[in-house]
Amino acid sequence: MSKVTAGVGPKYPQVVVLFGATGDLAKRKLIPGLYHLSSAGFLPDCRIIGVSLEELSCEEFQNQCLASLEEFSSRNVNNEDWEAYKARLSYVPLSAGAAALEKAVLEAEASFGVECRRLHYLSVPPKAALSVINTLGEARLIERARIVMEKPFGVDLQSAVALNSEVHKVFEEDQVFRIDHFLGKEPAQNILAFRFANGLFEPIWNRNFIEHIQIDVPETLGLDSRAGFYETTGAFRDMVVTHLMQILAFVAMEPPVALEPSSISEEKNKVFRSMMPIQPHHAVRGQYTGYREHEGVNPESQTETFIALKCSIDNWRWAGVPFYLRTGKRLAEGQRIISIAFHEPPKSMFPRDSGVGLHGPDHLTFDLSDSSRTSLSFYGKRPGPGMKLDKHSMQFGMDETRNVGEVLEAYERLILDAMRGDHTLFTTSRGIERLWELSSPLLENPPPVNRYSPGSWGPNAIHQLIGPRAWRLPFERNWRD
């Protein structure tokens, strides 16, 4: 494995305190992610302290980490790198208390012999987050520390304000990193490059040229054993506030003064301040048939497993341009798509049977999946006699570049950014509270859930929501392999 060049990783040695170290997220993403950052040279000086409810020895925890790598790592694990990583791993059961945790962190820091930083990663259920934060305060591990928090960040405006207030009693806002793994993906950041590095696109990125925008994240997975947890959350709280709205901000933001965290966060928050409250009649809620039969679910549950909604941004750039968001469980395909529809020409000189307009407006499409593809569709003449038009596309995929091997997975990038103190891809307390404020009309008076069949695209009412336009998924054309 090639090592990275100097200057890419954090400036100081890092002590990572991983709460929930034996949980599902840690096994699938965090342990493998830290292994790759370590073995690839991003973290030349790092110690990792696992903390969890389980009573494990250090050796048992190390064995669990090896099992996680063997099952979930997307990269090869060689013995030399594993032995180096293993030496960095230690474990403190939560029952040992704050004093034992403080002792373990201080010993890890002493092994460096130089100034270092602390990264506390809270891979724990939301109800346990404040308890962990108080433990860190009791252990006096706040200084030189940054803390990464997983969603959800509250369930409404009142709970978000209360949560942020409690967090700020222990940590300053600039120490807090609210993680959204969608923004850690390479294609999400490519939106910034696409918009602001190209003179071709930024001049047309406004209401004069763009007719509407769709952000579509359907999932084929159901809930099964997670249904009991999901029953208190639902698709809107689980996906829209924490993921889709953050993507919307990247698409809609004004050019930042500089490509730096504070400037980008300010422009994202301006988008949220400009958004109109989400009204119940601009939303369609759905629930797949069979959800109520899952263990832990109310037989008369009104929790949505599907949500589609229309958002509006009341500013100069986007006035009159609707943003359509859709996500749900047990849908026909798993996709992560941003689709930007351009205005059609005001008048067509082509004959009716030419095919112009047959396939809808031109689209610029971003695929936010790991394949990281971009497509620009347009009409062109079909070869042969006469004037027959077909829809064509220009496509680009990340796997077509020679740098594809250097792509970091989302959690890897975000962990590295948190260590460096870079808030660009993280959510602020002000932004989260504003989004819950915008959501209040919908949460206080939600429309009834519509049933939909597993394997479909959701309730039929979604077509009335977007009409006379049409949903971009499913695609009428395939991505090029």
Side-chain angles (χ1 to χ4, degrees), residues 446-457:
V449 293
N450 299 279
R451 307 301 288 275
Y452 65 93
S453 300
S456 69
W457 284 101

Side-chain angles (χ1 to χ4, degrees), residues 232-244:
T232 61
T233 306
F236 182 81
R237 290 180 171 93
D238 184 50
M239 290 291 293
V240 176
V241 175
T242 51
H243 294 321
L244 274 64

Side-chain angles (χ1 to χ4, degrees), residues 35-313:
Y35 169 79
H36 176 243
L37 292 176
S38 173
S39 59
F42 289 99
L43 303 178
D45 297 304
C46 178
R47 292 284 301 275
I48 301 161
I49 302 171
V51 181
S52 189
L53 292 172
E54 296 186 35
E55 298 290 335
L56 300 175
S57 67
C58 181
E59 184 179 0
E60 288 173 327
F61 175 63
Q62 291 169 342
N63 291 337
Q64 283 197 10
C65 290
L66 179 58
S68 298
L69 293 176
E70 291 173 341
E71 183 174 0
F72 298 115
S73 178
S74 60
R75 304 173 178 91
N76 292 330
V77 179
N78 66 59
N79 189 64
E80 181 182 353
D81 287 337
W82 161 247
E83 290 298 328
Y85 186 60
K86 176 182 177 181
R88 300 179 174 197
L89 298 170
S90 58
Y91 185 81
V92 176
L94 195 60
S95 61
L101 179 59
E102 179 186 19
K103 181 174 181 287
V105 171
L106 293 179
E107 288 178 353
E109 292 178 338
S111 69
F112 295 128
V114 295
E115 183 180 355
C116 59
R117 295 289 184 269
R118 301 159 178 166
L119 183 75
H120 307 310
Y121 199 115
L122 273 59
S123 178
V124 298
K127 62 183 180 182
L130 290 180
S131 174
V132 170
I133 288 172
N134 291 331
T135 297
L136 289 170
E138 185 181 348
R140 296 175 294 185
L141 297 175
I142 309 306
E143 186 181 356
R144 295 179 283 106
R146 298 179 177 118
I147 181 170
V148 179
M149 297 185 65
E150 285 281 343
K151 70 174 180 77
F153 315 111
V155 295
D156 53 23
L157 177 59
Q158 182 179 359
S159 61
V161 170
L163 174 62
N164 287 328
S165 176
E166 290 299 314
V167 171
H168 292 157
K169 289 179 181 178
V170 182
F171 289 94
E172 299 293 333
E173 174 63 18
D174 64 0
Q175 293 179 284
V176 182
F177 291 76
R178 298 169 187 83
I179 195 166
D180 173 12
H181 71 274
F182 268 50
L183 294 188
K185 293 180 176 294
E186 197 76 36
Q189 298 162 75
N190 201 34
I191 296 171
L192 297 180
F194 200 91
R195 285 190 59 187
F196 302 130
N198 297 294
L200 175 62
F201 293 104
E202 180 55 27
I204 64 171
W205 211 269
N206 57 61
R207 58 186 172 83
N208 295 320
F209 297 91
I210 293 175
E211 201 276 333
H212 75 276
I213 293 175
Q214 296 180 33
I215 301 175
D216 218 340
V217 186
E219 297 180 289
T220 57
L221 296 175
L223 290 162
D224 302 322
S225 62
R226 293 183 61 244
F229 158 77
Y230 199 83
E231 176 70 0
T232 61
T233 306
F236 182 81
R237 290 180 171 93
D238 184 50
M239 290 291 293
V240 176
V241 175
T242 51
H243 294 321
L244 274 64
M245 290 293 192
Q246 305 302 323
I247 294 293
L248 183 152
F250 264 29
V251 174
M253 64 188 276
E254 295 297 318
V257 174
L259 198 65
E260 60 182 21
S262 59
S263 297
I264 292 175
S265 292
E266 176 57 26
E267 296 304 334
K268 285 174 58 183
N269 285 334
K270 284 181 182 178
V271 172
F272 300 146
R273 290 200 298 270
S274 301
M275 287 180 66
M276 303 296 290
I278 302 170
Q279 301 301 326
H281 64 277
H282 285 160
V284 173
R285 298 167 70 237
Q287 185 186 94
Y288 66 77
T289 303
Y291 170 76
R292 294 177 181 176
E293 280 71 59
H294 289 309
E295 184 179 352
V297 174
N298 185 334
E300 298 181 357
S301 171
Q302 292 296 304
T303 297
E304 79 280 356
T305 62
F306 172 98
I307 184 80
L309 52 90
K310 181 171 77 171
C311 301
S312 301
I313 301 176

Side-chain angles (χ1 to χ4, degrees), residues 3-10 40-42 44:
K3 303 297 182 180
V4 300
T5 56
V8 178
F42 289 99

Side-chain angles (χ1 to χ4, degrees), residues 344-360:
E344 297 188 68
K347 181 175 174 60
S348 175
M349 62 183 180
F350 297 94
R352 288 187 176 181
D353 63 352
S354 67
V356 68
L358 185 63
H359 299 288

